[in-house]
Amino acid sequence: MKEIELKDPYTIPYKGIYAVCDKNNEYAEIIEHTNCYGGAAWSKFHYSHSPLILDTRSIGNMIRYLVKTGTSHLELKASRFAAGIESVLVEGDEVSITYAGLGGGGVGATKCRALAEGVLRYECTESGGGRAAKGIIIVPRRERVIIGIDDTDTKEKGATWTLTHNIAKELDCVESIYLSHSLVQLFPVAARTQNCVSTVLEFACVSAAAKEELLQSIRTALIKYSVSKDTGMVVLSDFDATGVQEYSTKCRCGELSRKYALRYAKEHDVEVWIDGNGIIGALAALAWFARPDESVRPDTKIDMNK
């Protein structure tokens, strides 16, 4: 028998909680990186009833809540609606999130989230047992940065999806959080290395300076480690990628030219950081950020409501 000592038996701190906002602070995505998926799945079910929440979904061990910013009233009910997000308020470069819960849901709403990495400040009521509890956490306001990359490999060596993940993992930091990585199936053109798949990375940055440092670092690493002369890297700084959906659909259904890709990128505020032939697939990948289960299927269409 092994006797254990638990420092705090009724707290499981989240790995991180991040708030990604649109430019007008009307919408936000609250992304919770959990250490206990079972508890997070319980929260996902109950929180989905909160008036402010427009959509919920999970990717790996992250739960993502698309919310309308503001304040709401929660009528919590044991077992049916036992916890929720009461308010999401943006003030300058900070976001205040108020959670409420009953019983064990109150523990999650308070200490578990308050002790997450990256939380700037917090306020909590007593929780646990049969209590109703409330917790307020303050986190940095972040904006989304979406990076499409393709053609870092050749038919003899390399794989874009592995290189991009390894680069992103090395650059993951408090200022620029690495949120997701998706492989995107494209139309199998003759010039492909093998499977004709591009990659999209998603980061959440706290400032323009953090974004610039991140992108410069990614470009430098791609130039250093790519084994292809056709590498392409494009960047979209936006809350969503609706503006490039049409292009992505075309690229997944047929062969497009580099000239067309460059023109489309310019017309839709997409920055070209490395302009090799790979920008064709890199641009198509942008629309599939944070959709890794769907992007690998060639017949899947994008539904931005999910």
Side-chain angles (χ1 to χ4, degrees), residues 32-67:
E32 300 185 338
H33 195 178
T34 178
N35 271 308
C36 175
Y37 186 80
W42 184 93
S43 294
K44 178 185 174 185
F45 170 75
H46 288 275
Y47 284 19
S48 65
H49 298 91
S50 302
L52 295 178
I53 293 183
L54 305 176
D55 183 55
T56 64
R57 59 196 178 106
S58 56
I59 302 175
N61 60 354
M62 288 187 180
I63 309 293
R64 306 171 73 121
Y65 300 97
L66 176 63
V67 305

PDB file of all heavy atoms in Angstrom, residues 32-67:
ATOM      1  N   GLU A  32     -10.394  27.107 -21.974  1.00  0.00           N
ATOM      2  CA  GLU A  32      -9.936  26.558 -20.708  1.00  0.00           C
ATOM      3  C   GLU A  32      -9.103  25.302 -20.962  1.00  0.00           C
ATOM      4  O   GLU A  32      -9.587  24.335 -21.553  1.00  0.00           O
ATOM      5  CB  GLU A  32     -11.128  26.229 -19.811  1.00  0.00           C
ATOM      6  CG  GLU A  32     -11.976  27.454 -19.497  1.00  0.00           C
ATOM      7  CD  GLU A  32     -13.084  27.158 -18.506  1.00  0.00           C
ATOM      8  OE1 GLU A  32     -13.472  25.970 -18.362  1.00  0.00           O
ATOM      9  OE2 GLU A  32     -13.571  28.118 -17.882  1.00  0.00           O
ATOM     10  N   HIS A  33      -7.863  25.347 -20.526  1.00  0.00           N
ATOM     11  CA  HIS A  33      -6.927  24.225 -20.691  1.00  0.00           C
ATOM     12  C   HIS A  33      -6.945  23.428 -19.389  1.00  0.00           C
ATOM     13  O   HIS A  33      -6.417  23.866 -18.371  1.00  0.00           O
ATOM     14  CB  HIS A  33      -5.530  24.776 -20.982  1.00  0.00           C
ATOM     15  CG  HIS A  33      -4.590  23.754 -21.515  1.00  0.00           C
ATOM     16  ND1 HIS A  33      -3.303  24.053 -21.884  1.00  0.00           N
ATOM     17  CD2 HIS A  33      -4.728  22.427 -21.751  1.00  0.00           C
ATOM     18  CE1 HIS A  33      -2.700  22.966 -22.317  1.00  0.00           C
ATOM     19  NE2 HIS A  33      -3.547  21.960 -22.240  1.00  0.00           N
ATOM     20  N   THR A  34      -7.561  22.264 -19.427  1.00  0.00           N
ATOM     21  CA  THR A  34      -7.843  21.540 -18.197  1.00  0.00           C
ATOM     22  C   THR A  34      -6.794  20.494 -17.831  1.00  0.00           C
ATOM     23  O   THR A  34      -6.107  19.954 -18.695  1.00  0.00           O
ATOM     24  CB  THR A  34      -9.214  20.838 -18.311  1.00  0.00           C
ATOM     25  OG1 THR A  34      -9.465  20.100 -17.124  1.00  0.00           O
ATOM     26  CG2 THR A  34      -9.245  19.868 -19.488  1.00  0.00           C
ATOM     27  N   ASN A  35      -6.713  20.203 -16.535  1.00  0.00           N
ATOM     28  CA  ASN A  35      -5.910  19.104 -16.018  1.00  0.00           C
ATOM     29  C   ASN A  35      -6.762  17.875 -15.723  1.00  0.00           C
ATOM     30  O   ASN A  35      -6.232  16.830 -15.363  1.00  0.00           O
ATOM     31  CB  ASN A  35      -5.197  19.530 -14.724  1.00  0.00           C
ATOM     32  CG  ASN A  35      -3.845  20.150 -14.992  1.00  0.00           C
ATOM     33  OD1 ASN A  35      -3.019  19.584 -15.690  1.00  0.00           O
ATOM     34  ND2 ASN A  35      -3.612  21.334 -14.442  1.00  0.00           N
ATOM     35  N   CYS A  36      -8.089  18.025 -15.830  1.00  0.00           N
ATOM     36  CA  CYS A  36      -9.015  16.924 -15.538  1.00  0.00           C
ATOM     37  C   CYS A  36     -10.168  17.011 -16.530  1.00  0.00           C
ATOM     38  O   CYS A  36     -11.105  17.789 -16.332  1.00  0.00           O
ATOM     39  CB  CYS A  36      -9.527  17.010 -14.114  1.00  0.00           C
ATOM     40  SG  CYS A  36     -10.785  15.767 -13.712  1.00  0.00           S
ATOM     41  N   TYR A  37     -10.093  16.212 -17.595  1.00  0.00           N
ATOM     42  CA  TYR A  37     -11.102  16.333 -18.649  1.00  0.00           C
ATOM     43  C   TYR A  37     -12.500  15.972 -18.157  1.00  0.00           C
ATOM     44  O   TYR A  37     -13.487  16.548 -18.597  1.00  0.00           O
ATOM     45  CB  TYR A  37     -10.746  15.477 -19.865  1.00  0.00           C
ATOM     46  CG  TYR A  37     -11.700  15.722 -21.005  1.00  0.00           C
ATOM     47  CD1 TYR A  37     -11.550  16.834 -21.823  1.00  0.00           C
ATOM     48  CD2 TYR A  37     -12.788  14.874 -21.226  1.00  0.00           C
ATOM     49  CE1 TYR A  37     -12.442  17.094 -22.845  1.00  0.00           C
ATOM     50  CE2 TYR A  37     -13.688  15.126 -22.247  1.00  0.00           C
ATOM     51  CZ  TYR A  37     -13.509  16.238 -23.054  1.00  0.00           C
ATOM     52  OH  TYR A  37     -14.404  16.507 -24.051  1.00  0.00           O
ATOM     53  N   GLY A  38     -12.597  15.027 -17.236  1.00  0.00           N
ATOM     54  CA  GLY A  38     -13.917  14.652 -16.722  1.00  0.00           C
ATOM     55  C   GLY A  38     -14.638  15.836 -16.107  1.00  0.00           C
ATOM     56  O   GLY A  38     -15.826  16.075 -16.375  1.00  0.00           O
ATOM     57  N   GLY A  39     -13.935  16.591 -15.281  1.00  0.00           N
ATOM     58  CA  GLY A  39     -14.533  17.775 -14.672  1.00  0.00           C
ATOM     59  C   GLY A  39     -14.855  18.836 -15.698  1.00  0.00           C
ATOM     60  O   GLY A  39     -15.897  19.508 -15.619  1.00  0.00           O
ATOM     61  N   ALA A  40     -13.968  18.996 -16.687  1.00  0.00           N
ATOM     62  CA  ALA A  40     -14.186  19.991 -17.731  1.00  0.00           C
ATOM     63  C   ALA A  40     -15.394  19.633 -18.595  1.00  0.00           C
ATOM     64  O   ALA A  40     -16.151  20.507 -19.023  1.00  0.00           O
ATOM     65  CB  ALA A  40     -12.937  20.125 -18.592  1.00  0.00           C
ATOM     66  N   ALA A  41     -15.588  18.324 -18.855  1.00  0.00           N
ATOM     67  CA  ALA A  41     -16.734  17.890 -19.649  1.00  0.00           C
ATOM     68  C   ALA A  41     -18.036  18.166 -18.900  1.00  0.00           C
ATOM     69  O   ALA A  41     -19.053  18.534 -19.504  1.00  0.00           O
ATOM     70  CB  ALA A  41     -16.611  16.402 -19.971  1.00  0.00           C
ATOM     71  N   TRP A  42     -18.014  18.006 -17.580  1.00  0.00           N
ATOM     72  CA  TRP A  42     -19.178  18.340 -16.762  1.00  0.00           C
ATOM     73  C   TRP A  42     -19.487  19.829 -16.884  1.00  0.00           C
ATOM     74  O   TRP A  42     -20.631  20.231 -17.075  1.00  0.00           O
ATOM     75  CB  TRP A  42     -18.909  17.956 -15.307  1.00  0.00           C
ATOM     76  CG  TRP A  42     -20.077  18.152 -14.370  1.00  0.00           C
ATOM     77  CD1 TRP A  42     -21.017  17.228 -14.018  1.00  0.00           C
ATOM     78  CD2 TRP A  42     -20.391  19.352 -13.646  1.00  0.00           C
ATOM     79  NE1 TRP A  42     -21.916  17.784 -13.138  1.00  0.00           N
ATOM     80  CE2 TRP A  42     -21.557  19.078 -12.892  1.00  0.00           C
ATOM     81  CE3 TRP A  42     -19.816  20.614 -13.576  1.00  0.00           C
ATOM     82  CZ2 TRP A  42     -22.148  20.036 -12.066  1.00  0.00           C
ATOM     83  CZ3 TRP A  42     -20.405  21.569 -12.763  1.00  0.00           C
ATOM     84  CH2 TRP A  42     -21.563  21.286 -12.015  1.00  0.00           C
ATOM     85  N   SER A  43     -18.439  20.639 -16.782  1.00  0.00           N
ATOM     86  CA  SER A  43     -18.620  22.088 -16.925  1.00  0.00           C
ATOM     87  C   SER A  43     -19.156  22.445 -18.307  1.00  0.00           C
ATOM     88  O   SER A  43     -20.047  23.291 -18.441  1.00  0.00           O
ATOM     89  CB  SER A  43     -17.292  22.815 -16.690  1.00  0.00           C
ATOM     90  OG  SER A  43     -16.858  22.664 -15.365  1.00  0.00           O
ATOM     91  N   LYS A  44     -18.608  21.811 -19.327  1.00  0.00           N
ATOM     92  CA  LYS A  44     -19.049  22.084 -20.697  1.00  0.00           C
ATOM     93  C   LYS A  44     -20.547  21.883 -20.842  1.00  0.00           C
ATOM     94  O   LYS A  44     -21.250  22.713 -21.434  1.00  0.00           O
ATOM     95  CB  LYS A  44     -18.293  21.184 -21.672  1.00  0.00           C
ATOM     96  CG  LYS A  44     -18.707  21.346 -23.124  1.00  0.00           C
ATOM     97  CD  LYS A  44     -17.979  20.326 -24.003  1.00  0.00           C
ATOM     98  CE  LYS A  44     -18.495  20.395 -25.442  1.00  0.00           C
ATOM     99  NZ  LYS A  44     -17.890  19.352 -26.287  1.00  0.00           N
ATOM    100  N   PHE A  45     -21.070  20.792 -20.277  1.00  0.00           N
ATOM    101  CA  PHE A  45     -22.505  20.514 -20.367  1.00  0.00           C
ATOM    102  C   PHE A  45     -23.314  21.580 -19.631  1.00  0.00           C
ATOM    103  O   PHE A  45     -24.257  22.156 -20.175  1.00  0.00           O
ATOM    104  CB  PHE A  45     -22.829  19.137 -19.790  1.00  0.00           C
ATOM    105  CG  PHE A  45     -24.294  18.885 -19.636  1.00  0.00           C
ATOM    106  CD1 PHE A  45     -25.082  18.605 -20.750  1.00  0.00           C
ATOM    107  CD2 PHE A  45     -24.905  18.971 -18.393  1.00  0.00           C
ATOM    108  CE1 PHE A  45     -26.451  18.405 -20.619  1.00  0.00           C
ATOM    109  CE2 PHE A  45     -26.268  18.776 -18.251  1.00  0.00           C
ATOM    110  CZ  PHE A  45     -27.049  18.488 -19.366  1.00  0.00           C
ATOM    111  N   HIS A  46     -22.951  21.881 -18.399  1.00  0.00           N
ATOM    112  CA  HIS A  46     -23.730  22.829 -17.607  1.00  0.00           C
ATOM    113  C   HIS A  46     -23.551  24.266 -18.080  1.00  0.00           C
ATOM    114  O   HIS A  46     -24.525  25.033 -18.158  1.00  0.00           O
ATOM    115  CB  HIS A  46     -23.362  22.685 -16.133  1.00  0.00           C
ATOM    116  CG  HIS A  46     -23.887  21.437 -15.507  1.00  0.00           C
ATOM    117  ND1 HIS A  46     -25.160  21.330 -14.983  1.00  0.00           N
ATOM    118  CD2 HIS A  46     -23.330  20.209 -15.354  1.00  0.00           C
ATOM    119  CE1 HIS A  46     -25.365  20.114 -14.522  1.00  0.00           C
ATOM    120  NE2 HIS A  46     -24.258  19.407 -14.732  1.00  0.00           N
ATOM    121  N   TYR A  47     -22.318  24.641 -18.426  1.00  0.00           N
ATOM    122  CA  TYR A  47     -22.073  26.010 -18.863  1.00  0.00           C
ATOM    123  C   TYR A  47     -22.800  26.337 -20.166  1.00  0.00           C
ATOM    124  O   TYR A  47     -23.103  27.495 -20.445  1.00  0.00           O
ATOM    125  CB  TYR A  47     -20.568  26.240 -19.064  1.00  0.00           C
ATOM    126  CG  TYR A  47     -19.766  26.403 -17.788  1.00  0.00           C
ATOM    127  CD1 TYR A  47     -20.260  25.960 -16.571  1.00  0.00           C
ATOM    128  CD2 TYR A  47     -18.511  26.983 -17.817  1.00  0.00           C
ATOM    129  CE1 TYR A  47     -19.520  26.101 -15.419  1.00  0.00           C
ATOM    130  CE2 TYR A  47     -17.759  27.123 -16.661  1.00  0.00           C
ATOM    131  CZ  TYR A  47     -18.278  26.674 -15.454  1.00  0.00           C
ATOM    132  OH  TYR A  47     -17.546  26.806 -14.310  1.00  0.00           O
ATOM    133  N   SER A  48     -23.053  25.325 -20.971  1.00  0.00           N
ATOM    134  CA  SER A  48     -23.716  25.559 -22.261  1.00  0.00           C
ATOM    135  C   SER A  48     -25.101  26.177 -22.098  1.00  0.00           C
ATOM    136  O   SER A  48     -25.647  26.737 -23.040  1.00  0.00           O
ATOM    137  CB  SER A  48     -23.832  24.247 -23.046  1.00  0.00           C
ATOM    138  OG  SER A  48     -24.685  23.335 -22.386  1.00  0.00           O
ATOM    139  N   HIS A  49     -25.676  26.092 -20.882  1.00  0.00           N
ATOM    140  CA  HIS A  49     -26.983  26.683 -20.630  1.00  0.00           C
ATOM    141  C   HIS A  49     -26.893  28.169 -20.262  1.00  0.00           C
ATOM    142  O   HIS A  49     -27.919  28.831 -20.121  1.00  0.00           O
ATOM    143  CB  HIS A  49     -27.691  25.930 -19.499  1.00  0.00           C
ATOM    144  CG  HIS A  49     -27.962  24.489 -19.820  1.00  0.00           C
ATOM    145  ND1 HIS A  49     -27.075  23.477 -19.506  1.00  0.00           N
ATOM    146  CD2 HIS A  49     -28.999  23.891 -20.443  1.00  0.00           C
ATOM    147  CE1 HIS A  49     -27.568  22.324 -19.898  1.00  0.00           C
ATOM    148  NE2 HIS A  49     -28.733  22.536 -20.481  1.00  0.00           N
ATOM    149  N   SER A  50     -25.681  28.689 -20.079  1.00  0.00           N
ATOM    150  CA  SER A  50     -25.518  30.097 -19.716  1.00  0.00           C
ATOM    151  C   SER A  50     -25.980  31.007 -20.855  1.00  0.00           C
ATOM    152  O   SER A  50     -25.635  30.766 -22.013  1.00  0.00           O
ATOM    153  CB  SER A  50     -24.052  30.394 -19.392  1.00  0.00           C
ATOM    154  OG  SER A  50     -23.582  29.565 -18.340  1.00  0.00           O
ATOM    155  N   PRO A  51     -26.744  32.049 -20.573  1.00  0.00           N
ATOM    156  CA  PRO A  51     -27.285  32.925 -21.623  1.00  0.00           C
ATOM    157  C   PRO A  51     -26.229  33.558 -22.530  1.00  0.00           C
ATOM    158  O   PRO A  51     -26.491  33.795 -23.703  1.00  0.00           O
ATOM    159  CB  PRO A  51     -28.031  34.006 -20.823  1.00  0.00           C
ATOM    160  CG  PRO A  51     -28.382  33.337 -19.535  1.00  0.00           C
ATOM    161  CD  PRO A  51     -27.251  32.412 -19.236  1.00  0.00           C
ATOM    162  N   LEU A  52     -25.047  33.826 -21.995  1.00  0.00           N
ATOM    163  CA  LEU A  52     -24.016  34.491 -22.784  1.00  0.00           C
ATOM    164  C   LEU A  52     -23.327  33.558 -23.771  1.00  0.00           C
ATOM    165  O   LEU A  52     -22.707  34.007 -24.732  1.00  0.00           O
ATOM    166  CB  LEU A  52     -22.941  35.093 -21.867  1.00  0.00           C
ATOM    167  CG  LEU A  52     -23.360  36.230 -20.937  1.00  0.00           C
ATOM    168  CD1 LEU A  52     -22.172  36.653 -20.090  1.00  0.00           C
ATOM    169  CD2 LEU A  52     -23.905  37.413 -21.724  1.00  0.00           C
ATOM    170  N   ILE A  53     -23.409  32.248 -23.546  1.00  0.00           N
ATOM    171  CA  ILE A  53     -22.650  31.296 -24.357  1.00  0.00           C
ATOM    172  C   ILE A  53     -23.385  30.958 -25.646  1.00  0.00           C
ATOM    173  O   ILE A  53     -24.531  30.508 -25.633  1.00  0.00           O
ATOM    174  CB  ILE A  53     -22.335  30.029 -23.550  1.00  0.00           C
ATOM    175  CG1 ILE A  53     -21.360  30.391 -22.425  1.00  0.00           C
ATOM    176  CG2 ILE A  53     -21.756  28.942 -24.436  1.00  0.00           C
ATOM    177  CD1 ILE A  53     -20.900  29.231 -21.586  1.00  0.00           C
ATOM    178  N   LEU A  54     -22.692  31.156 -26.766  1.00  0.00           N
ATOM    179  CA  LEU A  54     -23.259  30.907 -28.085  1.00  0.00           C
ATOM    180  C   LEU A  54     -22.914  29.525 -28.612  1.00  0.00           C
ATOM    181  O   LEU A  54     -23.661  28.943 -29.401  1.00  0.00           O
ATOM    182  CB  LEU A  54     -22.747  31.972 -29.065  1.00  0.00           C
ATOM    183  CG  LEU A  54     -22.984  33.425 -28.652  1.00  0.00           C
ATOM    184  CD1 LEU A  54     -22.349  34.367 -29.666  1.00  0.00           C
ATOM    185  CD2 LEU A  54     -24.467  33.720 -28.510  1.00  0.00           C
ATOM    186  N   ASP A  55     -21.771  28.987 -28.190  1.00  0.00           N
ATOM    187  CA  ASP A  55     -21.343  27.672 -28.665  1.00  0.00           C
ATOM    188  C   ASP A  55     -20.282  27.124 -27.725  1.00  0.00           C
ATOM    189  O   ASP A  55     -19.513  27.886 -27.130  1.00  0.00           O
ATOM    190  CB  ASP A  55     -20.780  27.777 -30.086  1.00  0.00           C
ATOM    191  CG  ASP A  55     -20.376  26.428 -30.652  1.00  0.00           C
ATOM    192  OD1 ASP A  55     -21.225  25.526 -30.674  1.00  0.00           O
ATOM    193  OD2 ASP A  55     -19.210  26.268 -31.060  1.00  0.00           O
ATOM    194  N   THR A  56     -20.243  25.808 -27.582  1.00  0.00           N
ATOM    195  CA  THR A  56     -19.193  25.153 -26.806  1.00  0.00           C
ATOM    196  C   THR A  56     -18.661  23.972 -27.595  1.00  0.00           C
ATOM    197  O   THR A  56     -19.410  23.293 -28.298  1.00  0.00           O
ATOM    198  CB  THR A  56     -19.719  24.634 -25.450  1.00  0.00           C
ATOM    199  OG1 THR A  56     -20.704  23.616 -25.685  1.00  0.00           O
ATOM    200  CG2 THR A  56     -20.324  25.743 -24.632  1.00  0.00           C
ATOM    201  N   ARG A  57     -17.354  23.745 -27.496  1.00  0.00           N
ATOM    202  CA  ARG A  57     -16.753  22.580 -28.138  1.00  0.00           C
ATOM    203  C   ARG A  57     -15.427  22.272 -27.470  1.00  0.00           C
ATOM    204  O   ARG A  57     -14.855  23.121 -26.772  1.00  0.00           O
ATOM    205  CB  ARG A  57     -16.567  22.778 -29.649  1.00  0.00           C
ATOM    206  CG  ARG A  57     -15.704  23.949 -30.050  1.00  0.00           C
ATOM    207  CD  ARG A  57     -15.903  24.282 -31.523  1.00  0.00           C
ATOM    208  NE  ARG A  57     -15.122  25.427 -31.932  1.00  0.00           N
ATOM    209  CZ  ARG A  57     -14.033  25.371 -32.676  1.00  0.00           C
ATOM    210  NH1 ARG A  57     -13.593  24.197 -33.103  1.00  0.00           N
ATOM    211  NH2 ARG A  57     -13.389  26.456 -33.023  1.00  0.00           N
ATOM    212  N   SER A  58     -14.965  21.056 -27.662  1.00  0.00           N
ATOM    213  CA  SER A  58     -13.702  20.647 -27.056  1.00  0.00           C
ATOM    214  C   SER A  58     -12.732  20.200 -28.135  1.00  0.00           C
ATOM    215  O   SER A  58     -13.123  19.593 -29.136  1.00  0.00           O
ATOM    216  CB  SER A  58     -13.927  19.511 -26.056  1.00  0.00           C
ATOM    217  OG  SER A  58     -14.571  18.415 -26.671  1.00  0.00           O
ATOM    218  N   ILE A  59     -11.464  20.535 -27.936  1.00  0.00           N
ATOM    219  CA  ILE A  59     -10.374  20.080 -28.803  1.00  0.00           C
ATOM    220  C   ILE A  59      -9.280  19.566 -27.885  1.00  0.00           C
ATOM    221  O   ILE A  59      -8.648  20.338 -27.158  1.00  0.00           O
ATOM    222  CB  ILE A  59      -9.833  21.216 -29.693  1.00  0.00           C
ATOM    223  CG1 ILE A  59     -10.945  21.813 -30.549  1.00  0.00           C
ATOM    224  CG2 ILE A  59      -8.703  20.701 -30.577  1.00  0.00           C
ATOM    225  CD1 ILE A  59     -10.499  23.005 -31.363  1.00  0.00           C
ATOM    226  N   GLY A  60      -9.083  18.255 -27.897  1.00  0.00           N
ATOM    227  CA  GLY A  60      -8.117  17.678 -26.974  1.00  0.00           C
ATOM    228  C   GLY A  60      -8.538  17.971 -25.547  1.00  0.00           C
ATOM    229  O   GLY A  60      -9.680  17.725 -25.158  1.00  0.00           O
ATOM    230  N   ASN A  61      -7.636  18.515 -24.749  1.00  0.00           N
ATOM    231  CA  ASN A  61      -7.971  18.837 -23.362  1.00  0.00           C
ATOM    232  C   ASN A  61      -8.265  20.317 -23.165  1.00  0.00           C
ATOM    233  O   ASN A  61      -8.102  20.863 -22.076  1.00  0.00           O
ATOM    234  CB  ASN A  61      -6.853  18.376 -22.423  1.00  0.00           C
ATOM    235  CG  ASN A  61      -5.520  19.034 -22.737  1.00  0.00           C
ATOM    236  OD1 ASN A  61      -5.395  19.758 -23.729  1.00  0.00           O
ATOM    237  ND2 ASN A  61      -4.514  18.778 -21.914  1.00  0.00           N
ATOM    238  N   MET A  62      -8.723  20.974 -24.232  1.00  0.00           N
ATOM    239  CA  MET A  62      -9.170  22.358 -24.134  1.00  0.00           C
ATOM    240  C   MET A  62     -10.671  22.442 -24.419  1.00  0.00           C
ATOM    241  O   MET A  62     -11.163  21.857 -25.385  1.00  0.00           O
ATOM    242  CB  MET A  62      -8.422  23.257 -25.124  1.00  0.00           C
ATOM    243  CG  MET A  62      -6.981  23.520 -24.781  1.00  0.00           C
ATOM    244  SD  MET A  62      -6.251  24.758 -25.886  1.00  0.00           S
ATOM    245  CE  MET A  62      -4.583  24.853 -25.246  1.00  0.00           C
ATOM    246  N   ILE A  63     -11.389  23.168 -23.561  1.00  0.00           N
ATOM    247  CA  ILE A  63     -12.803  23.446 -23.779  1.00  0.00           C
ATOM    248  C   ILE A  63     -12.915  24.897 -24.213  1.00  0.00           C
ATOM    249  O   ILE A  63     -12.331  25.787 -23.596  1.00  0.00           O
ATOM    250  CB  ILE A  63     -13.639  23.227 -22.507  1.00  0.00           C
ATOM    251  CG1 ILE A  63     -13.359  21.854 -21.907  1.00  0.00           C
ATOM    252  CG2 ILE A  63     -15.119  23.388 -22.824  1.00  0.00           C
ATOM    253  CD1 ILE A  63     -13.819  20.692 -22.735  1.00  0.00           C
ATOM    254  N   ARG A  64     -13.685  25.126 -25.301  1.00  0.00           N
ATOM    255  CA  ARG A  64     -13.765  26.470 -25.869  1.00  0.00           C
ATOM    256  C   ARG A  64     -15.217  26.946 -25.819  1.00  0.00           C
ATOM    257  O   ARG A  64     -16.121  26.290 -26.313  1.00  0.00           O
ATOM    258  CB  ARG A  64     -13.235  26.460 -27.308  1.00  0.00           C
ATOM    259  CG  ARG A  64     -11.821  25.870 -27.396  1.00  0.00           C
ATOM    260  CD  ARG A  64     -11.367  25.663 -28.830  1.00  0.00           C
ATOM    261  NE  ARG A  64     -11.055  26.912 -29.486  1.00  0.00           N
ATOM    262  CZ  ARG A  64      -9.871  27.226 -30.005  1.00  0.00           C
ATOM    263  NH1 ARG A  64      -8.870  26.380 -29.926  1.00  0.00           N
ATOM    264  NH2 ARG A  64      -9.673  28.363 -30.604  1.00  0.00           N
ATOM    265  N   TYR A  65     -15.407  28.138 -25.216  1.00  0.00           N
ATOM    266  CA  TYR A  65     -16.731  28.734 -25.097  1.00  0.00           C
ATOM    267  C   TYR A  65     -16.776  30.031 -25.916  1.00  0.00           C
ATOM    268  O   TYR A  65     -16.059  30.987 -25.611  1.00  0.00           O
ATOM    269  CB  TYR A  65     -17.049  29.069 -23.639  1.00  0.00           C
ATOM    270  CG  TYR A  65     -17.028  27.872 -22.712  1.00  0.00           C
ATOM    271  CD1 TYR A  65     -15.884  27.579 -21.955  1.00  0.00           C
ATOM    272  CD2 TYR A  65     -18.135  27.045 -22.576  1.00  0.00           C
ATOM    273  CE1 TYR A  65     -15.857  26.485 -21.107  1.00  0.00           C
ATOM    274  CE2 TYR A  65     -18.117  25.955 -21.728  1.00  0.00           C
ATOM    275  CZ  TYR A  65     -16.977  25.672 -20.992  1.00  0.00           C
ATOM    276  OH  TYR A  65     -16.951  24.590 -20.146  1.00  0.00           O
ATOM    277  N   LEU A  66     -17.606  30.053 -26.952  1.00  0.00           N
ATOM    278  CA  LEU A  66     -17.829  31.282 -27.709  1.00  0.00           C
ATOM    279  C   LEU A  66     -18.912  32.062 -26.981  1.00  0.00           C
ATOM    280  O   LEU A  66     -20.018  31.548 -26.765  1.00  0.00           O
ATOM    281  CB  LEU A  66     -18.267  30.956 -29.129  1.00  0.00           C
ATOM    282  CG  LEU A  66     -18.621  32.157 -30.018  1.00  0.00           C
ATOM    283  CD1 LEU A  66     -17.410  33.060 -30.224  1.00  0.00           C
ATOM    284  CD2 LEU A  66     -19.184  31.688 -31.359  1.00  0.00           C
ATOM    285  N   VAL A  67     -18.602  33.299 -26.591  1.00  0.00           N
ATOM    286  CA  VAL A  67     -19.538  34.056 -25.768  1.00  0.00           C
ATOM    287  C   VAL A  67     -19.790  35.448 -26.334  1.00  0.00           C
ATOM    288  O   VAL A  67     -18.960  36.017 -27.047  1.00  0.00           O
ATOM    289  CB  VAL A  67     -19.033  34.203 -24.313  1.00  0.00           C
ATOM    290  CG1 VAL A  67     -18.732  32.847 -23.705  1.00  0.00           C
ATOM    291  CG2 VAL A  67     -17.802  35.107 -24.238  1.00  0.00           C
TER     292      VAL A  67
END
